[in-house]
Amino acid sequence: MATPNQVLAIAKKFVDDGYKEGPNNDTIFGNHAGAPNAPWCASFVWYCFDKAGAGTLIPKKFINCQTGLKWFATRNQLLAPDQAQPGDLVFFNFDNDATTTEHVGIVYVNPRGKELITFEGNTSKNGSQSNGDGCYKKKRPYGKIVGIGRPDWSKLL
């Protein structure tokens, strides 16, 4: 049975190894999701869940943030940031538009201090937050979060 910790271990390995994209957004994540050379934050999330055996808990071949946010909302699996737990998906908008999402990551820690610690793909260490060059561990304020998608782990029991 897959667990949030297994998903996080896969994501952490890419962060710890300093994974970087190739030319033209070339990544193993986009290739795995069937979306080569495309923005890859969602396909990074899909890859981690799929490789952990939990791919059925999020949109299949997840490649679009807005579609993912809607998928969780229609299933009543969308929560507020202060309810986030490790292994949840976190949807962001960095332009302060609370109706759309432009980036997604995986919650690693919720220190309950108005910010989350996340693992993310297609972000950068210091520059662009929604279209970068690699996998990073990030500290994100609640104010940039559109919603938290909670996978239904009970479906794997």
Side-chain angles (χ1 to χ4, degrees):
M1 176 183 81
T3 67
N5 285 339
Q6 290 171 314
V7 171
L8 290 167
I10 293 167
K12 185 177 188 306
K13 179 162 178 28
F14 286 105
V15 169
D16 289 348
D17 290 350
Y19 183 90
K20 301 277 191 197
E21 67 184 22
N24 268 347
N25 279 338
D26 184 30
T27 68
I28 62 171
F29 315 113
N31 293 335
H32 183 73
N37 306 104
W40 51 279
C41 60
S43 60
F44 167 74
V45 171
W46 159 253
Y47 182 97
C48 295
F49 272 77
D50 192 46
K51 290 297 182 178
T56 59
L57 303 183
I58 65 174
K60 185 172 174 76
K61 300 217 177 205
F62 180 38
I63 60 170
N64 180 283
C65 297
Q66 192 66 28
T67 300
L69 182 71
K70 288 179 184 176
W71 189 90
F72 281 100
T74 61
R75 288 162 176 76
N76 292 325
Q77 293 173 239
L78 205 56
L79 308 167
D82 64 341
Q83 297 175 306
Q85 296 177 357
D88 287 347
L89 278 65
V90 54
F91 294 91
F92 300 100
N93 186 293
F94 299 111
D95 297 327
N96 298 319
D97 179 354
T99 62
T100 64
T101 183
E102 60 192 9
H103 189 64
V104 65
I106 306 169
V107 175
Y108 177 52
V109 177
N110 185 353
R112 308 279 188 240
K114 301 290 184 191
E115 63 189 11
L116 298 177
I117 299 171
T118 62
F119 292 137
E120 301 171 27
N122 199 30
T123 191
S124 60
K125 190 168 189 156
N126 299 310
S128 172
Q129 300 307 308
S130 62
N131 186 19
D133 65 352
C135 296
Y136 295 95
K137 180 179 171 183
K138 304 292 285 190
K139 191 180 289 189
R140 300 290 196 186
Y142 283 3
K144 300 294 182 185
I145 298 171
V146 177
I148 300 295
R150 169 80 40 84
D152 185 355
W153 295 97
S154 71
K155 290 185 175 182
L156 297 180
L157 297 177

